[in-house]
Amino acid sequence: MGSLLYYALPALGSYVMLSIFFLRRPRLLHTPQAPAFCPHLAAHRGGSGERLEHTMEAMENSMAQQADLLELDCQLTRDGVVVVSHDKNLSCQSGVNRDVGSLDFEELPFYKEELEVYFSPGHFAHGSDRHMVSLEDVFQRFPRMPMSVEVKEENEELIHKIADLVRHFDRNEITIWASEKSSIMKKCKAANPEMPFSFTQSRGFWLLLLYYLGLLPFMPIQERFLISFLPTIINRFLMRKSLIQHLEQRGVQVRLDHHPSARRWLSSVGLAQPFSHSSATQQLGHLGRSLSVSQFLHL
């Protein structure tokens, strides 16, 4: 036992030192991925805090407030139109208890006159535009606006239609694949491998495991974006400054959806400074909860 420890302890110490060294200097082992775009502010569900989510009015309002990434969710109608909608069932959004896939695009109901904001329970968004829109119309209206497109269902027709639309509008480099499920992401990457993609939930847990085991500096990373929602007990415990710095040095853009308490936490660990009091930034800071405006960290 003594002889085993005699050799094991120095080996373990050397491994820890090497891991820390390359965690701080990842470019010695990896060539960083060059980002096609570097968004600073993202609008969740197209900007759901001040206007009705996923409407053209919400997206235009977000862009007017300097958002430079639209986060969208997609569903497929019965007649094969890719529609921008978070929910599969329209009950919460419109009061009509029908699935998007059971209706043709022209049959889709209007949104309710007010919708509760996901990140701000008790807060309701309003807007004059209550129309559901197709992804094609969004691409036509905002041809060079970076977007994140989340797929929630293992619907291969939906995935391939999104991939074809992205190609048709020449948006391969400025449209991000997003999904919580790795099985869906695998199909997304196969449908259009030229689009950047984000971490799924299981890949995110794998990332954290590699980080805490000290193996992350030695492993390849294909994802271009890490999206994390703050604050939660889990994220406060797991998201470390050294991890975020390591990822960004390797070309992985980290986006933290945050509200005031999360911004205070980010500032306390040296990852972000509080919003200034300039007119534009003060307005965005106020909308941090309702609009779900998200800031990419530049360390």
Side-chain angles (χ1 to χ4, degrees), residues 115-124 259 289-290:
L115 291 176
E116 187 171 20
V117 180
Y118 178 74
F119 282 98
S120 296
H123 177 89
F124 290 85
H259 45 71
R289 296 182 65 180
S290 58

Side-chain angles (χ1 to χ4, degrees), residues 81 83 161 244:
V81 177
V83 64
K161 282 184 177 290
I244 296 175

Side-chain angles (χ1 to χ4, degrees), residues 15 19 23 204-217 219 237-247:
Y15 166 72
S19 178
L23 182 72
F205 285 124
W206 180 243
L207 172 78
L208 292 170
L209 179 63
L210 292 175
Y211 169 73
Y212 281 102
L213 290 177
L215 293 170
L216 183 59
M219 304 298 290
F237 176 72
L238 295 177
M239 297 304 292
R240 300 299 183 187
K241 179 179 179 180
S242 58
L243 170 60
I244 296 175
Q245 288 177 326
H246 177 85
L247 291 174

Side-chain angles (χ1 to χ4, degrees), residues 32-63:
Q33 306 175 76
F37 61 97
C38 298
H40 299 277
L41 295 170
H44 186 255
R45 300 190 190 182
S48 60
E50 289 196 322
R51 303 292 186 270
L52 299 179
E53 65 182 50
H54 283 142
T55 60
M56 289 293 188
E57 183 183 28
M59 299 176 204
E60 290 172 348
N61 180 66
S62 298
M63 293 180 66

Side-chain angles (χ1 to χ4, degrees), residues 144-207:
R144 303 315 301 163
M145 180 69 169
M147 299 180 195
S148 168
V149 178
E150 183 170 353
V151 181
K152 299 180 179 298
E153 301 288 331
E154 294 202 37
N155 186 328
E156 294 200 29
E157 182 183 2
L158 170 63
I159 292 171
H160 282 280
K161 282 184 177 290
I162 293 173
D164 290 342
L165 283 170
V166 170
R167 291 192 186 95
H168 178 75
F169 287 94
D170 192 25
R171 296 182 51 89
N172 286 329
E173 293 187 345
I174 59 171
T175 309
I176 307 165
W177 282 124
S179 182
E180 293 183 353
K181 299 179 180 179
S182 293
S183 58
I184 296 177
M185 184 60 74
K186 182 178 180 180
K187 294 177 180 179
C188 291
K189 292 189 293 183
N192 190 335
E194 297 180 44
M195 292 169 57
F197 57 97
S198 60
F199 278 88
T200 61
Q201 282 189 349
S202 60
R203 281 284 298 168
F205 285 124
W206 180 243
L207 172 78

